[in-house]
Amino acid sequence: QVQLVESGGGLVQPGGSLRLSCAASGSIFSIDNMAWYRQAPGKQRELVASTGTTSDTHYADSVKGRFTISRDNAKNTVYLQMNSLKPEDTAVYYCNLWTNGGAAYWGRGTQVTVSS
């Protein structure tokens, strides 16, 4: 079993920054893709950013140029640096991990609120 624990969420003013972390533990043999999703009230969960084993990255258009995803394979950890935050970035952010064996895991989520 794999556990994902997110941290780093909170309340920030518009234009501010936050850094989310997600550490994976448990029976991990090989991690393929790691990603961050978010879900705002009344909306569907959406992909924010993802990174593969070669550190290739993909971003939602709404966060390009403001968010940066990175991973530390030695620590089985993925990060999301969020700059120039906007009120519309307010959501619960979820960590997602795929193993090479095709199994997917989710964290419990961390709340990010952007408000003055």
Side-chain angles (χ1 to χ4, degrees), residues 44-105:
Q44 290 188 332
R45 190 173 297 190
E46 62 175 355
L47 176 65
V48 176
S50 65
T51 178
T53 54
T54 58
S55 296
D56 52 304
T57 57
H58 170 80
Y59 296 94
D61 288 343
S62 59
V63 306
K64 281 181 181 177
R66 300 188 297 121
F67 290 11
T68 302
I69 189 171
S70 60
R71 63 192 284 172
D72 184 334
N73 292 326
K75 297 181 179 180
N76 291 331
T77 300
V78 63
Y79 306 95
L80 185 68
Q81 178 66 44
M82 305 185 293
N83 299 328
S84 302
L85 282 160
K86 305 174 180 180
E88 50 263 44
D89 295 317
T90 295
V92 178
Y93 284 70
Y94 297 91
C95 177
N96 168 261
L97 175 158
W98 282 87
T99 69
N100 286 336
Y105 298 92

Side-chain angles (χ1 to χ4, degrees), residues 3-23:
Q3 296 81 39
L4 301 179
V5 178
E6 301 111 331
S7 60
L11 173 65
V12 63
Q13 292 187 343
S17 298
L18 284 174
R19 188 191 193 210
L20 305 183
S21 299
C22 172

